[in-house]
Amino acid sequence: MAREVTTTGSKKLKTLMKQFNEHFPYLRIKLLSSNMAAKAERGETIFGLDIEKTLSEVREKTGSGKISFTGRKNVKTIEKEFDEIFGLYAQICYTKADGKRYYTTGSDDSKTLTVLNREKEAAGCKKDIWN
């Protein structure tokens, strides 16, 4: 049976991140406001959103919306849905064996979460264990 992560505005960010990590242990999801994303692109230091808040509290687009994904959904689709539905900048990330963290780019963005998770495991990437 395919495992699914579903989120609506009432879910806390920390709950979403934990569920994502349980399903895809070699990947992480990072959510930023558009302002934070612009600062990151300029190379400025940023801090993530308050994970104690719900998506409704941090979202930049009003309205109702739900995002649901399984391992069959590709990275760029998930990132696009967070932007379109919640107005948030989402990035799927991973940590190499040396501890350096990276955002997915290029061909990784076209891969499904299951494929990318397996590839990062085979490449010796670290599990991101949610605390």
Side-chain angles (χ1 to χ4, degrees), residues 16-58:
L16 170 63
M17 296 164 102
K18 180 179 180 181
Q19 289 175 342
F20 183 90
N21 187 238
E22 288 170 350
H23 289 42
F24 311 104
Y26 294 90
L27 305 175
R28 291 177 292 111
I29 187 166
K30 181 153 182 101
L31 298 172
L32 302 169
S33 68
S34 57
N35 182 36
M36 291 175 182
K39 286 181 178 183
E41 287 178 11
R42 292 191 301 266
E44 295 178 33
T45 301
I46 57 163
F47 298 95
L49 295 168
D50 183 348
I51 64 171
E52 294 296 330
K53 292 187 175 185
T54 64
L55 279 165
S56 289
E57 292 174 306
V58 300

Side-chain angles (χ1 to χ4, degrees), residues 67-85:
I67 297 174
S68 178
F69 48 91
T70 65
R72 293 185 304 269
K73 196 171 269 191
N74 68 33
V75 170
K76 67 182 170 190
T77 301
I78 293 165
E79 293 173 351
K80 182 179 177 184
E81 287 178 348
F82 271 96
D83 179 42
E84 291 176 347
I85 295 170

